Amino acid sequence: MNFSQLITTRRSHRVFTSTEIHPDVVQQILRAALLSPTSRNQRAWHFIVVDGKSDLEKLADAKEQGSSMLAHAAFAVVVLGDAAHNDCWVEDGSIAAITMQYQAHDLGIASCWVQIRGRRLSDATLSSDVVRGILDIPEAYDVLCIVAFGHPAQPLPPHDDDSILWERVHLDHF
């Protein structure tokens, strides 16, 4: 598949099968993150791979909405940044997260981004504090997101050209 096909067919999957993912595939996905571009090549991100069902189920409750698919994922990757090391940690972590998602899709693995940074539970508890508590993450690292991975339970249609918002592109001097 070429890149144009990849970006057209990659979709956020929220339903996964129970089929496990081979460790070599997980390693390829992580390799993609580790090769992703970073500001000034500082590589201030860190990744926690979670494949234990108990922890995945706990992470599924880290925010009010949009995280329940984690309970049924084959594995998830928590994307962390070190703000003291690099002020572009959010951007660098975001690039790494989508790079993992593109690599996963290329390998036939579905994924879904779960935003954590800036989210809260109904009692105002920060979602990042919930994740930090579940995984015993040191205070020096900030939690950006969690990416859920698994075999897709159903195919999703590709994006169609009618959904492209060309009106959001503004041309100057072309």
Side-chain angles (χ1 to χ4, degrees):
M1 151 174 11
N2 66 40
F3 190 73
S4 292
Q5 292 167 320
L6 186 77
I7 61 173
T8 301
T9 59
R10 195 218 63 82
R11 302 296 303 264
S12 293
H13 287 259
R14 292 171 179 83
V15 182
F16 305 108
T17 70
S18 60
T19 307
E20 292 184 18
I21 296 176
H22 194 277
D24 290 345
V25 172
V26 176
Q27 184 175 1
Q28 282 184 274
I29 292 168
L30 293 169
R31 182 178 185 274
L34 294 168
L35 290 172
S36 66
T38 63
S39 172
R40 298 185 314 266
N41 200 31
Q42 289 194 15
R43 299 180 271 181
W45 28 233
H46 292 265
F47 308 100
I48 300 174
V49 179
V50 180
D51 62 359
K53 284 297 171 196
S54 175
D55 283 342
L56 288 167
E57 288 171 359
K58 291 175 189 172
L59 290 172
D61 293 327
K63 59 186 237 174
E64 292 300 318
Q65 297 177 13
S67 57
S68 61
M69 89 288 294
L70 288 164
H72 305 290
F75 75 99
V77 177
V78 179
V79 180
L80 308 171
D82 182 349
H85 183 80
N86 182 351
D87 65 339
C88 294
W89 74 272
V90 172
E91 293 85 350
D92 291 351
S94 298
I95 293 167
I98 192 59
T99 301
M100 284 189 286
Q101 290 187 275
Y102 283 136
Q103 178 65 78
H105 181 62
D106 187 52
L107 297 168
I109 303 300
S111 66
C112 190
W113 172 297
V114 177
Q115 177 68 21
I116 297 296
R117 188 179 75 84
R119 300 298 185 257
R120 297 177 181 273
L121 294 174
S122 61
D123 68 359
T125 301
L126 288 171
S127 295
S128 57
D129 288 343
V130 175
V131 174
R132 183 181 311 285
I134 294 167
L135 300 176
D136 197 27
I137 298 170
E139 287 293 322
Y141 301 113
D142 294 303
V143 182
L144 173 64
C145 66
I146 304 170
V147 183
F149 295 96
H151 289 280
Q154 61 205 22
L156 296 177
H159 295 282
D160 62 6
D161 285 344
D162 293 338
S163 68
I164 297 174
L165 301 176
W166 285 107
E167 65 273 13
R168 305 268 174 104
V169 177
H170 308 278
L171 302 177
D172 183 37
H173 303 293
F174 287 99

